Amino acid sequence: MSDLPHRDLHAVALETIDAAAELLGLEPWLAATLRRPERAVTVEIPYLAADGTVRSVRGYRVQHSTARGPAKGGIRFHPDVTIEEVTGLATLMSIKTALLDLPLGGGKGGVTVDPRGMTDAEVEAITRGYARAIAGVIGPDVDVPAPDVNTGTRHMDWIADEYGHLVGSPTPAVVTGKSLAAGGSLGRDTATAAGCRTVTLRAAKQLGLAADARVAIQGFGNAGAHLARMLAADGLRVVAVSDSRGGVHRPDGLDLAAVAEAKRVHGSVTAFPDADVVTNEELLAVDCEILVPAALEGAIAEREATKVRARLVAEAANGPCTPEADLVLAERDVVVLPDVLASAGGVTVSCFEWQQNRDGSTWSEARVAAELDRRMQGAFDALWDYAAAQRLPLRLAAVALGVQRVAEATRQRHAAPTAAPLAS
Ligand code: NAD
């Protein structure tokens, strides 16, 4: 089961809003509004357990902002889920969708449950129960959930099915991340990697890196393995990759198909014979131009940051660099492409899925890839220019740009409060 981040994500979100509000000089009422979600719903989900008893778990759905469009964000199943964490994550989603300039807001959901060891029937009962409980506050024009930690395609298919029955007509646009048969989008599997590829290439060009620059990637899962393949096809040299058991390093470039095959057969990239085996810590310090943490939150802390030799760090994972590491990397003139941009390919293709479901169209894989590339390029260019103009590091610039867009939409929506109270 995926581990949840250890940071207090609600506190992180509030610090993020506060930092942006100060930088942007937001009106106090607006800053206060953005610190709180528009709507937070807590639900109780009774279900029939495999032993014949009825049990109950707690679920949440939080809509931080719908000022720019329907709330968007995943649903996680994890024993540590709390409403505070879900609220923090919903806030960060508002910033992410705004940075990508998607016509969406920010939301998040969760169920406090440990799905390990549960039967499929129990997981389905909880998911359908959750869908019924939140059906009144979600919908294609209101709030569109997606997968997150420990949820995936089948959970989304169940929610879409349940919701369709409740409203009396099939409504695939109520969730994204569905199976293709149930209205999912082509290109969703590779979306995070493809989005990261676009912004990494763009940043490499801005920094004047060579066309065959060397890349090291920590994490060889959905994000990391696809990204390695894509960057190699672009002509970059992927010199090191790793998974939870360790990594492999070959200074003149790895044969990625053979590495993937070694992982498939033996369970780890370390089984690939034609390279040096390295630890995950050594991988972060490999001599290369581009380093991509694509595994864990907090992978690069202060100590690791002092050893990074890359010129560019592209955060494919969520929160891989700690705030302390950020400071060290900035001092050492290492440019960090922040997760809010570098990992945003997934939510962008989620947006495309929602759009396809709404107008009943099916985009080809090539169209999804082209639109994703266009979106990510636009977001990168806007961020790069803004950061340069404001003389800000990319992470702070990304947050400021995202919050500025949410604030602007919120301000427009509420207009200026009347100067004087109405006469009684
Ligand atoms: P995944 O589970 O498919 O892959 C994770 C990889 O990290 C695996 O290769 C695993 O072996 C490796 N790993 C685990 N522990 C490790 C350790 N201690 N050191 C080095 N490697 C380790 O996950 P994923 O979908 O590729 O996601 C990776 C990161 O990207 C996560 O932070 C996730 O939140 C983020 N992300 C993913 C998506 C997506 O659509 N898949 C979208 C946005 C962000």
Side-chain angles (χ1 to χ4, degrees):
M1 182 169 60
S2 313
D3 280 333
L4 281 186
H6 304 296
R7 288 185 302 170
D8 177 346
L9 285 170
H10 192 221
V12 169
L14 291 181
E15 282 163 20
T16 303
I17 294 287
D18 290 348
E22 193 183 331
L23 196 73
L24 298 165
L26 288 189
E27 307 90 297
W29 75 267
L30 197 44
T33 300
L34 297 182
R35 290 180 112 250
R36 290 190 290 260
E38 283 175 22
R39 175 151 64 179
V41 175
T42 299
V43 296
E44 197 60 25
I45 311 162
Y47 69 98
L48 184 62
D51 63 6
T53 60
V54 177
R55 297 185 195 170
S56 193
V57 289
R58 205 85 165 136
Y60 312 96
R61 185 69 195 170
V62 175
Q63 293 151 12
H64 171 261
S65 173
T66 58
R68 291 175 44 87
K72 187 93 196 76
I75 294 166
R76 54 177 56 182
F77 282 8
H78 196 280
D80 297 339
V81 163
T82 63
I83 185 111
E84 288 78 19
E85 177 190 79
V86 172
T87 303
L89 290 163
T91 307
L92 298 173
M93 282 304 296
S94 294
I95 298 172
K96 197 171 201 174
T97 56
L99 182 66
L100 269 292
D101 207 12
L102 302 173
L104 296 167
K108 206 80 181 187
V111 178
T112 312
V113 66
D114 188 350
R116 276 181 308 188
M118 281 191 158
T119 65
D120 284 354
E122 287 176 320
V123 173
E124 179 172 352
I126 290 170
T127 309
R128 287 185 181 276
Y130 176 69
R132 285 193 298 277
I134 64 165
V137 299
I138 63 171
D141 298 319
V142 186
D143 181 358
V144 184
D148 194 73
V149 176
N150 293 325
T151 63
T153 300
R154 61 191 192 132
H155 302 76
M156 297 307 117
D157 288 355
W158 289 327
I159 294 173
D161 180 56
E162 200 69 29
Y163 186 86
H165 283 298
L166 285 169
V167 300
S169 61
T171 315
V174 68
V175 285
T176 60
K178 301 177 294 293
S179 64
L180 279 178
S185 178
L186 289 166
R188 178 67 186 80
D189 287 355
T190 53
T192 301
C196 189
R197 166 194 173 250
T198 298
V199 295
T200 301
L201 291 179
R202 211 115 178 123
K205 198 169 168 202
Q206 288 285 357
L207 296 173
L209 302 185
D212 65 346
R214 293 163 300 168
V215 186
I217 302 179
Q218 185 194 53
F220 204 66
N222 178 280
H226 286 306
L227 182 62
R229 181 178 48 75
M230 289 173 185
L231 292 179
D234 290 322
L236 281 82
R237 269 179 297 155
V238 178
V239 295
V241 297
S242 70
D243 56 37
S244 57
R245 293 205 224 154
V248 281
H249 177 216
R250 189 180 160 121
D252 59 349
L254 294 162
D255 175 348
L256 290 166
V259 173
E261 181 61 11
K263 182 164 175 72
R264 193 187 65 76
V265 174
H266 302 287
S268 172
V269 296
T270 52
F272 175 66
D274 297 329
D276 297 330
V277 171
V278 291
T279 64
N280 262 298
E281 195 165 344
E282 286 165 348
L283 178 129
L284 297 172
V286 151
D287 194 12
C288 64
E289 283 73 43
I290 303 172
L291 175 62
V292 184
L296 297 179
E297 176 175 328
I300 304 179
E302 193 171 358
R303 190 162 59 97
E304 290 79 17
T306 58
K307 297 182 190 156
V308 167
R309 289 158 89 177
R311 175 86 178 84
L312 174 67
V313 173
E315 292 188 325
N318 283 315
C321 295
T322 66
E324 296 75 26
D326 254 358
L327 294 176
V328 173
L329 293 171
E331 264 170 28
R332 302 186 58 226
D333 210 21
V334 179
V335 172
V336 178
L337 265 183
D339 53 358
V340 64
L341 176 70
S343 77
V347 72
T348 304
V349 172
S350 269
C351 178
F352 299 163
E353 179 178 336
W354 171 71
Q355 289 172 331
Q356 290 171 71
N357 294 157
R358 283 170 71 98
D359 65 19
S361 61
T362 306
W363 297 6
S364 67
E365 201 156 357
R367 178 170 175 196
V368 170
E371 296 272 348
L372 174 61
D373 193 50
R374 194 178 60 79
R375 276 271 167 201
M376 297 297 300
Q377 282 196 31
F380 175 87
D381 292 349
L383 173 60
W384 194 267
D385 293 348
Y386 183 81
Q390 304 290 325
R391 296 176 183 279
L392 293 172
L394 289 173
R395 191 186 309 283
L396 187 55
V399 163
L401 197 53
V403 170
Q404 187 181 47
R405 289 177 178 161
V406 179
E408 183 59 27
T410 309
R411 196 183 284 120
Q412 287 302 119
R413 197 187 216 191
H414 295 290
T418 46
L422 293 175
S424 54

